[in-house]
Amino acid sequence: MAVQKYSWHVGFLSWFLHRVTGVLLSVYLVIHVWVVSTVSHGPAGFNQVMAAVQTPMFIFFEVCLLGTVLYHSLNGMRLLIVDTGLGVRHQKGLLFLLMGIGMILFVIGAFPILRLLGMPFPL
């Protein structure tokens, strides 16, 4: 019996990225709760954590978080539409449409975040 090579297709990549972004969002929630809990350490502790999360590295991670949330939520909406039976025949087109909308929203949302780095943008 010959071993078949798995073909990477849009459906698999969509499924895989949905799982990965779900795990990343779960990790983010734990970090977010930890950061918010620093309020109980008083103003000095909170200010120290706030200074750390305003570094360029964390601002980059914030842009990545925006992309992760957009992908996960828009792909989740696609899955809901497909599960209702409305978009079963148009899954790939629906994915590309929602990812196009996601890219537009990502660019619009990333500009204000990147301005925190002092980058001049026309918007």
Side-chain angles (χ1 to χ4, degrees):
M1 180 173 211
V3 176
Q4 288 184 334
K5 193 174 184 179
Y6 186 79
S7 64
W8 290 72
H9 56 84
V10 174
F12 172 75
L13 291 174
S14 172
W15 172 85
F16 181 74
L17 288 174
H18 195 73
R19 272 45 179 194
V20 169
T21 56
V23 170
L24 291 173
L25 290 172
S26 298
V27 170
Y28 166 75
L29 285 175
V30 171
I31 294 169
H32 180 72
V33 168
W34 171 75
V35 168
V36 170
S37 73
T38 61
V39 171
S40 65
H41 300 152
F46 182 74
N47 289 337
Q48 183 180 6
V49 171
M50 286 297 106
V53 298
Q54 292 174 356
T55 62
M57 180 183 71
F58 273 92
I59 292 172
F60 170 76
F61 285 142
E62 201 167 318
V63 172
C64 292
L65 175 65
L66 174 65
T68 302
V69 168
L70 283 171
Y71 178 82
H72 194 79
S73 61
L74 290 172
N75 192 47
M77 283 193 274
R78 180 190 69 89
L79 291 172
L80 287 172
I81 293 169
V82 169
D83 285 348
T84 61
L86 298 174
V88 173
R89 294 185 180 183
H90 307 288
Q91 288 189 50
K92 192 183 290 188
L94 189 58
L95 175 68
F96 290 138
L97 172 70
L98 289 173
M99 292 307 108
I101 292 170
M103 286 183 196
I104 293 167
L105 292 174
F106 178 77
V107 169
I108 292 170
F111 280 137
I113 297 169
L114 292 173
R115 280 189 178 168
L116 295 172
L117 292 174
M119 298 177 132
F121 290 109
L123 297 177

